Amino acid sequence: MVELIPLFMFGAVCLVLLFGYPVAYSLAGTALLFAGIGIVTDTFASAFLHALPSRIYGILTNQTLMAVPLFVLMGTLLEKSKVAENLLNSMALLFGRLRGGLGISVTLVGMLLAASTGIVGATVVTMGLLSLPTMLKRGYSPSLATGSICATGTLGQIIPPSIALVLLGDVLSSAYQQAQINMGLFSPETVSVGDLFVGALIPGLLLVLCYVVYICLVAWLKPTSAPALTANDLEVESERRVSFIGSLVPPLLLILAVLGSILAGIATPTEAAGVGAMGALLLALSQKQLSKEKLREVVISTTQITCMVFLILIGAALFSLVFRGFGGDDLVHGVFEDMPGGVWGATLIVMLVIFFLGFILDFIEITFVVVPIVAPVLLTLGLDPVWLGIMIAINLQTSFLTPPFGFSLFYLRGVAPESVKTVEIYKGVTPFILIQLCMLFVLALWPGLITWLPGLLSR
Amino acid sequence: DSDQTYRWSLLTSWPKNFPGLGVAPENFAKMVDDMSGGRLKIRVFGAGEVVPGFEVFDAISNGTAEMGHSGSYYWKGKLPAAQFFAAIPFGMTASETNGWLQYGGGMALWEELYRPHGVVPLAAGSTGTQMGGWFNKEINSIEDLEGLKMRIPGLGGEVLSRAGGVPVSLPGGEIFTALQTGAIDAVEWVGPYNDRAFGLNTAAQYYYYPGWHEPGSMFEFIVNEEAFQTLPEDLQAIVRQAAKTASYDMLVEYDARNIEALNQLQESGVELRRFPEDLLQKLQGYADEVVQELAEQDPMATRIYESYRAYQQGAAAYNHVAEQAYIETRGQ
Amino acid sequence: MLQQLCETIDGFTEVVGRATAWLLPVMMALMFLVVVLRYLFNTGSIALQESVMYLHAILFMTASAFTLKHDGHVRVDIFYRTLSPRGRAVINLLGTLFLLLPVCLFTGWFCFGYVAKSWALMEASPESGGLPLVYLLKSLMLVLVVTMTLQGIAELARNLMILVGRYPTLVAKEGASLG
Ligand code: NA
Ligand code: NA
């Protein structure tokens, strides 16, 4: 009974979240309640609670997370100065009367942004700020708009360079060595972060392609949910060719510059967010779109979004600490101990557990809790480490999208206008979840889609 | 009562299963379990599982867990003098450091330094002499260090900065990408065994030696003093002995595994290079300054420095006619 | 009385939050400077890198209460949005009482000793050349706790007033439905 407490905790926090009090306090408060009961009934290792300040300090000093406020600042600047809206409108114009043109533009811009950072909070929020208002204005159904934004924003996790893959690569590389030493191989093969980056390329691009195809399909079957530009729009817009180029080129250059500064070795991915924000500020100023009043709005709104993201991280830290104090990791361990059905059964169970943990625990937590336990076992059974890494990453990405709880959903809800109903977001992401699940299935059938490119490059 | 079972947690500063460093505490826990007939069960946690890697000292000091495995140079911000028990640029090698700790008065100083924090230190193994690092620029003279952007933490970074280089602080997750894209020119990590596992050979061309900045990095087990006192005497002795064995084991494991790993790195096309002699001499000059300043920070640091310095001078003189003389004679 | 309490705290939170928000462009500029110095001038400083981190930490540790005041912390609002203002006030009252305030008190309790220890050592950066102000950085935890507890009390007062039908702006805005 006692060993099942972590399970009750999971259930209880889901219930508390549904009451609608802010997510951060619901996570932390529920955990605390359980810790209190645990201390009174002597079923909880209360010493673990002393780790809370260290955990918070870890979040304060995590340099990677500095990308969040800067990336969000870039997004808010581009939105409030109307640069984003003009960019997306111009891109949609490129697609002319093709229905869904705006949706495709958003997905492509999202892909570029996703390449620039791997922090889910940063990409989902930025995408939401950049494109949601324009899509709604253009008559897109809130479901399609929020669904495609959420899905594209979460892509940042697997399109390299991605922090998530780096963390996973670290843990997998150690697990792979461990697995080979267990098998008696003392000059083990290695797997590097670079291998994971290369392995993620084809699946990442395939996902983008699937999203685009899906948007076209919806636009074709249900024109009202993704309207094309009207003849009138086209006329008005094409009369302004100059402004067309003017609104298309600079922001695209900016986004490319962010990515380019990483690839050219000018900035690290975290610093690139700062470069992007600075660029957005200059762009907004040069287009005379930024009054002091607007700048005030920008910094205040960015500050609030940043606080929203970080308080969730702090709440999740307390939750996972108590989850551990009750032996939640033992419970996870136990599930894996008697894994049935050989390598495929084992992989399926691992994927399912990771999927459910992804509702509440964040990427870092899962990478550190689950992967070190399961990876050596699975790799000893003969799985390819790059394949396993990418499958875990896509699986988590799917989990973050899955209603009713998931980090991407929390973050998008946080920046979506009040008029968009949460249920509409849930409806909107469902097809994208199905696409991702299909992709996982395809990658399981044809692992070569992941392993071919890294194999080719290492030769 | 001799049949009571004690359950401890051991927090480390490394990812779980991290080759070498992460394996030592696992071996230690297994040894303690065997030696105590299961009366002391120790559970090992990787960095970030309970607390982030750099918070282990605080966690042991405040009783979050009973034990930790880490490196004392991470506590520089709290106890600058702690760095003497991990790595000093142009300082002592692993076997010299072990001699100083066990027979040269080092251990008593280490215990004295940690006592106000309720923490007991135990030596916990060494990586041996590390490598100089991975470079995408050739280093032919001290001028080549001018403006060189390198991930090199701690005292080594301070020395580099005095030589005109630019030590860069990077989160662990960005080190690889930064080296690969050229955002930084060089990275120091550990030695062949860990560097190969990290895949640094796929991000840089030159592998320089020797690791002047970490000539024999010593790691530590730290134990919460109160928890240690509550153990019966025999279990206390088991913890101490198992730590000694784990410490010995880690050093020889690194020695053995580095041989094979270096071969494989060279086969994969890495260019192995030695830092020029005059460059090393100049760096040593800067290092002496830096360490001198560290020694002047507080009276405790001065005492530790003097003890360290005296032992190193004696050891150097003796090694000159013993191991060093022999290895030079042997050739290969 | 309740109303005065609520207004005083709201005012304080608003001033602090608005001031803190302006650290954001400073943080951006410094981050940009780090890149420019390293790439164009092959130089840099750990202290400069760390100061970006400090600004980042100050931003979200100090302005979270401000975000609470503006209802900026995201909710799973599938049911919440269907509730009447009174229903929402009940959720917020209970949430503040049983989730927010206990979390603040608990966090404060556990962080106090941790921060005090850092002050006793005047803890400096673990990096060579870093800022010797770690004890201030750690003190941000107490800043979060204090500002959040204050704003929590204000929320408590606000929602109580809504429940008894005496919250002025709400009465003005939705007076008809509240009767
Ligand atoms: Na990415
Ligand atoms: Na090193």
Side-chain angles (χ1 to χ4, degrees):
Chain A
M1 210 41 195
V2 173
E3 63 275 11
L4 290 181
I5 292 179
L7 218 57
F8 294 137
M9 246 183 95
F10 226 84
V13 82
C14 290
L15 201 70
V16 172
L17 280 171
L18 285 177
F19 279 110
Y21 198 65
V23 171
Y25 305 110
S26 301
L27 286 173
T30 312
L32 203 56
L33 207 71
F34 268 77
I37 297 172
I39 290 171
V40 171
T41 58
D42 204 21
T43 49
F44 177 71
S46 61
F48 268 23
L49 289 180
H50 287 285
L52 181 66
S54 288
R55 285 254 174 151
I56 298 179
Y57 184 63
I59 294 173
L60 289 190
T61 51
N62 184 326
Q63 295 183 55
T64 316
L65 292 176
M66 294 192 310
V68 173
L70 296 171
F71 229 83
V72 173
L73 178 61
M74 174 174 93
T76 324
L77 275 168
L78 292 179
E79 184 230 351
K80 291 251 195 290
S81 63
K82 303 241 182 296
V83 173
E85 187 183 343
N86 293 340
L87 163 74
L88 290 171
N89 280 337
S90 300
M91 275 183 84
L93 201 61
L94 283 180
F95 290 95
R97 291 202 208 172
L98 177 72
R99 283 181 299 215
L102 179 60
I104 297 170
S105 310
V106 166
T107 308
L108 294 180
V109 169
M111 180 182 75
L112 293 176
L113 281 178
S116 320
T117 179
I119 310 281
V120 175
T123 40
V124 172
V125 164
T126 309
M127 284 298 296
L129 291 169
L130 278 180
S131 32
L132 192 53
T134 310
M135 288 177 98
L136 294 177
K137 219 189 222 173
R138 285 279 170 187
Y140 270 62
S141 83
S143 292
L144 183 64
T146 52
S148 53
I149 289 170
C150 234
T152 322
T154 320
L155 258 186
Q157 253 187 26
I158 71 160
I159 295 193
S162 135
I163 297 300
L165 287 182
V166 171
L167 291 176
L168 205 53
D170 246 13
V171 176
L172 270 177
S173 144
S174 295
Y176 192 39
Q177 298 248 315
Q178 185 70 26
Q180 292 176 87
I181 289 174
N182 289 348
M183 289 189 284
L185 302 171
F186 287 100
S187 57
E189 294 284 309
T190 58
V191 50
S192 74
V193 177
D195 294 331
L196 282 186
F197 279 5
V198 177
L201 271 181
I202 295 181
L205 292 178
L206 277 179
L207 277 174
V208 173
L209 188 70
C210 292
Y211 296 169
V212 169
V213 169
Y214 168 74
I215 291 168
C216 290
L217 216 62
V218 172
W220 180 54
L221 292 175
K222 246 177 79 186
T224 49
S225 64
L229 297 180
T230 62
N232 192 22
D233 287 333
L234 280 174
E235 232 165 75
V236 173
E237 295 281 351
S238 51
E239 270 168 23
R240 297 183 301 164
R241 282 275 162 210
V242 184
S243 81
F244 168 75
I245 302 283
S247 58
L248 188 63
V249 174
L252 271 187
L253 272 182
L254 171 67
I255 292 172
L256 284 176
V258 172
L259 191 55
S261 70
I262 299 172
L263 296 178
I266 297 171
T268 67
T270 307
E271 293 166 348
V275 174
M278 183 58 109
L281 181 67
L282 295 179
L283 194 59
L285 285 175
S286 75
Q287 304 200 347
K288 302 214 169 31
Q289 291 285 5
L290 204 62
S291 58
K292 189 169 172 225
E293 196 39 50
K294 256 196 186 144
L295 185 62
R296 187 200 310 277
E297 274 174 43
V298 167
V299 295
I300 285 182
S301 130
T302 307
T303 302
Q304 292 189 359
I305 294 168
T306 306
C307 292
M308 181 238 339
V309 171
F310 279 87
L311 267 220
I312 291 186
L313 289 178
I314 291 176
L318 182 56
F319 183 85
S320 62
L321 200 59
V322 176
F323 184 71
R324 259 174 190 285
F326 276 114
D329 44 347
D330 286 332
L331 192 69
V332 174
H333 208 155
V335 172
F336 297 125
E337 217 132 66
D338 23 48
M339 279 193 288
V343 62
W344 289 113
T347 312
L348 191 67
I349 290 185
V350 168
M351 289 295 168
L352 278 175
V353 170
I354 290 180
F355 184 79
F356 284 111
L357 289 178
F359 281 11
I360 305 286
L361 302 184
D362 74 359
F363 197 99
I364 299 172
E365 213 59 57
I366 292 174
T367 307
F368 288 147
V369 176
V370 184
V371 180
I373 301 173
V374 299
V377 185
L378 292 179
L379 295 173
T380 310
L381 292 174
L383 288 185
D384 182 280
V386 178
W387 182 84
L388 183 63
I390 304 300
M391 290 295 276
I392 291 177
I394 298 183
N395 183 15
L396 267 181
Q397 190 195 344
T398 318
S399 173
F400 290 168
L401 281 180
T402 304
F405 310 116
F407 287 92
S408 302
L409 297 170
F410 296 154
Y411 296 144
L412 187 68
R413 174 70 269 177
V415 293
E418 191 60 28
S419 63
V420 176
K421 289 188 188 138
T422 306
V423 179
E424 289 171 324
I425 302 182
Y426 290 176
K427 267 192 213 147
V429 290
T430 310
F432 290 93
I433 295 166
L434 292 177
I435 291 177
Q436 309 239 109
L437 290 177
C438 290
M439 181 58 65
L440 280 171
F441 188 67
V442 167
L443 293 173
L445 280 184
W446 291 288
L449 288 172
I450 294 171
T451 55
W452 174 71
L453 205 52
L456 192 74
L457 289 185
S458 72
R459 223 156 278 143
Chain B
D1 41 324
S2 62
D3 50 352
Q4 188 189 341
T5 304
Y6 295 83
R7 286 177 198 283
W8 278 16
S9 304
L10 191 162
L11 314 181
T12 77
S13 298
W14 341 108
K16 250 191 138 61
N17 305 322
F18 189 83
L21 290 174
V23 173
E26 303 274 359
N27 289 344
F28 167 81
K30 169 98 179 41
M31 232 182 305
V32 169
D33 194 341
D34 291 347
M35 289 162 86
S36 68
R39 285 166 53 226
L40 178 51
K41 296 217 169 283
I42 299 181
R43 173 139 179 222
V44 180
F45 293 92
E49 284 196 81
V50 178
V51 296
F54 296 152
E55 288 287 300
V56 170
F57 189 88
D58 278 300
I60 305 313
S61 172
N62 72 19
T64 303
E66 290 79 6
M67 223 179 146
H69 186 252
S70 190
S72 62
Y73 43 19
Y74 298 142
W75 325 135
K76 168 187 175 291
K78 302 179 216 299
L79 302 167
Q83 295 171 98
F84 283 104
F85 303 102
I88 293 292
F90 295 94
M92 292 198 267
T93 65
S95 68
E96 289 166 347
T97 308
N98 274 321
W100 174 58
L101 289 177
Q102 306 304 335
Y103 296 98
M107 207 61 231
L109 288 167
W110 199 355
E111 284 166 1
E112 189 181 334
L113 181 69
Y114 282 6
R115 192 165 301 129
H117 301 272
V119 172
V120 180
L122 301 166
S126 168
T127 57
T129 305
Q130 299 197 352
M131 291 292 284
W134 295 88
F135 290 71
N136 277 320
K137 277 190 179 162
E138 283 186 66
I139 305 298
N140 296 319
S141 71
I142 192 96
E143 283 77 43
D144 291 330
L145 294 184
E146 190 65 43
L148 181 95
K149 294 162 271 188
M150 182 170 185
R151 180 265 174 198
I152 172 170
L155 294 171
E158 184 58 32
V159 173
L160 178 75
S161 118
R162 296 199 184 184
V166 185
V168 178
S169 152
L170 284 174
E174 290 192 344
I175 293 173
F176 183 88
T177 318
L179 182 62
Q180 198 174 39
T181 60
I184 54 174
D185 307 310
V187 164
E188 79 78 38
W189 194 236
V190 187
Y193 183 45
N194 288 127
D195 293 8
R196 180 173 171 268
F198 195 14
L200 286 170
N201 53 316
T202 60
Q205 196 179 353
Y206 308 111
Y207 198 17
Y208 273 92
Y209 68 95
W212 53 270
H213 59 293
E214 295 198 48
S217 301
M218 178 59 68
F219 294 89
E220 63 180 12
F221 283 119
I222 44 180
V223 192
N224 178 285
E225 194 171 8
E226 229 180 281
F228 197 55
Q229 296 309 335
T230 57
L231 286 185
E233 272 180 25
D234 62 331
L235 290 185
Q236 287 188 13
I238 286 175
V239 167
R240 285 189 185 279
Q241 286 310 312
K244 265 193 182 164
T245 312
S247 177
Y248 161 83
D249 203 56
M250 181 164 138
L251 178 61
V252 293
E253 189 195 358
Y254 267 105
D255 280 347
R257 299 235 196 270
N258 279 333
I259 299 171
E260 184 67 19
L262 185 64
N263 280 336
Q264 287 163 335
L265 285 172
Q266 283 185 283
E267 278 165 22
S268 77
V270 166
E271 262 187 68
L272 194 60
R273 300 226 173 162
R274 189 181 156 83
F275 285 123
E277 205 53 50
D278 58 330
L279 174 140
L280 288 171
Q281 263 166 26
K282 286 192 182 123
L283 286 182
Q284 183 157 14
Y286 293 123
D288 287 345
E289 273 174 37
V290 168
V291 177
Q292 186 71 44
E293 284 164 27
L294 167 62
E296 285 159 10
Q297 285 202 5
D298 58 76
M300 188 64 192
T302 313
R303 282 173 56 211
I304 297 173
Y305 169 75
E306 279 164 3
S307 169
Y308 186 96
R309 191 86 199 135
Y311 194 90
Q312 180 172 338
Q313 279 165 354
Y318 176 67
N319 275 340
H320 187 65
V321 301
E323 200 164 307
Q324 190 184 345
Y326 170 69
I327 289 178
E328 277 165 13
T329 315
R330 185 178 64 182
Q332 55 176 321
Chain C
M1 220 286 284
L2 275 184
Q3 190 179 335
Q4 200 177 3
L5 178 75
C6 194
E7 273 169 11
T8 312
I9 298 177
D10 275 357
F12 170 75
T13 304
E14 192 67 22
V15 169
V16 171
R18 283 178 176 268
T20 312
W22 287 103
L23 294 179
L24 196 60
V26 182
M27 176 191 172
M28 175 197 75
L30 289 186
M31 182 67 112
F32 190 72
L33 187 63
V34 167
V35 177
V36 170
L37 286 180
R38 194 186 57 230
Y39 187 72
L40 291 182
F41 300 99
N42 288 327
T43 175
S45 124
I46 303 275
L48 184 62
Q49 283 191 287
E50 285 191 353
S51 53
V52 182
M53 183 177 83
Y54 277 55
L55 288 174
H56 164 67
I58 296 172
L59 185 72
F60 66 84
M61 295 299 271
T62 311
S64 277
F66 174 66
T67 308
L68 175 67
K69 171 172 180 274
H70 289 267
D71 197 13
H73 292 293
V74 64
R75 311 165 181 261
V76 177
D77 66 348
I78 338 174
F79 297 125
Y80 180 81
R81 69 182 291 137
T82 64
L83 296 176
S84 67
R86 286 180 66 97
R88 293 183 182 191
V90 171
I91 296 277
N92 287 331
L93 190 72
L94 294 178
T96 310
L97 212 51
F98 294 108
L99 297 170
L100 186 140
L101 289 176
V103 168
C104 285
L105 293 180
F106 168 84
T107 311
W109 172 261
F110 275 91
C111 289
F112 188 79
Y114 179 83
V115 175
K117 243 184 197 170
S118 185
W119 274 86
L121 292 167
M122 296 305 265
E123 189 172 353
S125 169
E127 297 277 350
S128 288
L131 296 174
L133 303 170
V134 168
Y135 56 97
L136 289 181
L137 188 63
K138 289 187 173 173
S139 304
L140 285 174
M141 296 181 201
L142 299 181
V143 172
L144 175 74
V145 166
V146 170
T147 53
M148 202 59 106
T149 307
L150 277 178
Q151 191 57 37
I153 292 171
E155 294 305 318
L156 213 56
R158 189 184 344 269
N159 287 297
L160 261 177
M161 286 191 292
I162 293 176
L163 277 181
V164 297
R166 288 187 40 199
Y167 190 60
T169 56
L170 191 91
V171 173
K173 225 169 33 184
E174 301 183 75
S177 67
L178 279 173

